[in-house]
Amino acid sequence: MEIRELQAKAAQIRMDLLTIIHRAKTGHTGGSLSNTDILTALYYRIMKVDPNNPKWENRDRFIASKGHSVESLWCILADLGFFPKEELKTYSGFGTRLIGHPNNKVPGIEMNTGALGHGLAISVGMAIAAKRDGRPYRVFCLMGDGEQAEGSVWEAAMAGAHYKLDNLIGIIDRNRLQISGTTEEVMGLEPLDEKWTAFGWNVVSIDGNDMAALVEAFEAIPAAAGKPTLIMANTVKGKGVSFAENAAKWHHHVPNDEELRKALEELDTQLQALRAEGTAI
C-alpha cells in the first residue's frame, strides 16, 4: 500500500476497534488507538506474512509485548483474512478466541502475551533461532513505554545486542501515558533513547503516528549491521479521536453511545478526506 492508502486503512481500523470495544464494553482504547499506525505500516507494507499460510516458516514474526492493546491487532488480522471478520463481534465474549490479550489459538498470533516485560525476551529467542537456522525472517516486538520499567526488558535488550541480532526490531509505543498517569510521574524513563543506545541498539526516533516516517524507518532496517534496531515511536494516546487524545483516563475507557458516535464521525471525516485526496491525484 502507498502512504495515503495506509493512512486510510489506519482510520478504518480505528473505527473497527472502537466498535468492538463499545460492543464488548471492555478494552484498552487509548493504547490501541496510539499503536494503530505502527501496526498498519507493519502488516500492510513491511512484514512478510501470509493469511493463507499463517505458519509459513519464513514469515516475519510479530510479538505484541504490550498485549493489552490487542484490539487494533484483532481488527487488522481479521481485515487481512487470518480469521473471519464476523468473529470480531465475539471479542471478549464467553468462549471466544478473541480475548483481551493475544491468544495463539488465533491464526497470526505467535505467542500469548500480556504480562508486561516478556515479549522482547521471546523475540530475542526467535531472532537467534532465525540466525542459527539460516532463515531470512525478522522479528518485530511492540512494547509499551510504561513497560520499560520492567527489568526483564533490559535483560533482553542486553542479550539482543550481545548476539548481534540485526534481524530484531523493537518498537516502543511512546505515548507517555499509562494507567495511573504520565510515565515520567510513575517511573521516569528519560533519557530513553540514550539508555537503549547504551545497551548497544541502533535507535531511530520518529513520530509514530506519521505513516511516511514509519514506513521510511521500517524500510531502512537493518540500518546498522550487527545491531538490533529500536524504533522510538513517539505517539499520541487516543490518536484519531480528538476528545481521547492525551487523556490518561482513556487507557481502558469504554466509549459510551454518544462518544462512539462522535468518534466514528471524526474518523469517517478523516477517511473520506483521504479518499478524496487520492481520487484527486
Side-chain angles (χ1 to χ4, degrees):
M1 283 189 178
E2 298 303 317
I3 300 300
R4 189 171 286 102
E5 293 175 295
L6 290 167
Q7 291 169 330
K9 180 61 72 175
Q12 183 61 62
I13 294 300
R14 286 187 168 98
M15 295 171 75
D16 293 344
L17 75 87
L18 285 166
T19 299
I20 69 170
I21 288 172
H22 174 263
R23 181 186 292 116
K25 299 188 179 351
T26 186
H28 285 82
T29 312
S32 284
L33 289 169
S34 71
N35 74 29
T36 295
D37 295 307
I38 298 166
L39 295 186
T40 300
L42 287 175
Y43 274 93
Y44 294 93
R45 173 85 176 233
I46 301 300
M47 293 199 310
K48 295 180 176 68
V49 293
D50 183 358
N52 296 314
N53 186 12
K55 294 297 185 182
W56 173 42
E57 289 185 344
N58 288 333
R59 70 190 181 280
D60 286 330
R61 272 67 166 170
F62 174 75
I63 301 295
S65 192
K66 56 170 295 183
H68 55 282
S69 296
V70 74
E71 294 84 5
S72 46
L73 181 57
W74 288 145
C75 291
I76 285 171
L77 292 178
D79 186 63
L80 288 170
F82 281 90
F83 59 86
K85 271 193 171 183
E86 190 71 12
E87 193 172 346
L88 287 173
K89 293 179 180 178
T90 73
Y91 167 67
S92 279
F94 179 73
T96 185
R97 299 188 297 176
L98 307 184
I99 56 177
H101 289 83
N103 166 25
N104 66 4
K105 292 183 173 62
V106 180
I109 299 295
E110 302 290 343
M111 293 290 295
N112 298 342
T113 55
L116 296 176
H118 294 178
L120 189 62
I122 294 167
S123 301
V124 166
M126 289 179 167
I128 290 173
K131 290 284 189 183
R132 292 186 176 178
D133 291 345
R135 295 203 172 274
Y137 66 79
R138 300 163 299 172
V139 185
F140 296 83
C141 178
L142 178 64
M143 297 173 280
D145 49 4
E147 183 177 0
Q148 304 306 295
E150 300 281 355
S152 51
V153 169
W154 300 100
E155 293 178 70
M158 219 171 5
H162 175 77
Y163 290 106
K164 304 184 185 333
L165 300 177
D166 52 11
N167 59 343
L168 173 63
I169 304 94
I171 309 154
I172 298 177
D173 184 5
R174 183 72 171 114
N175 60 40
R176 292 174 168 75
L177 288 172
Q178 56 192 106
I179 189 170
S180 49
T182 71
T183 54
E184 298 314 292
E185 290 169 335
V186 176
M187 180 64 70
L189 300 175
E190 296 297 348
L192 194 51
D193 288 22
E194 293 176 24
K195 288 173 182 173
W196 279 90
T197 300
F199 271 71
W201 288 56
N202 180 56
V203 178
V204 181
S205 187
I206 60 170
D207 179 343
N209 294 128
D210 181 329
M211 193 62 73
L214 284 164
V215 167
E216 181 180 1
F218 286 134
E219 289 188 342
I221 293 166
K227 278 189 173 186
T229 296
L230 189 284
I231 305 291
M232 191 70 66
N234 295 286
T235 62
V236 174
K237 196 150 192 168
K239 179 67 176 178
V241 178
S242 62
F243 50 89
E245 290 186 352
N246 287 316
K249 74 172 187 177
W250 277 80
H251 181 83
H252 54 46
H253 176 74
V254 174
N256 60 33
D257 292 351
E258 181 60 15
E259 288 169 334
L260 178 67
R261 184 192 67 75
K262 288 181 178 178
L264 294 182
E265 186 176 88
E266 284 190 17
L267 289 163
D268 187 59
T269 298
Q270 296 170 29
L271 181 59
Q272 297 311 320
L274 287 163
R275 286 175 175 169
E277 287 176 24
T279 303
I281 292 174

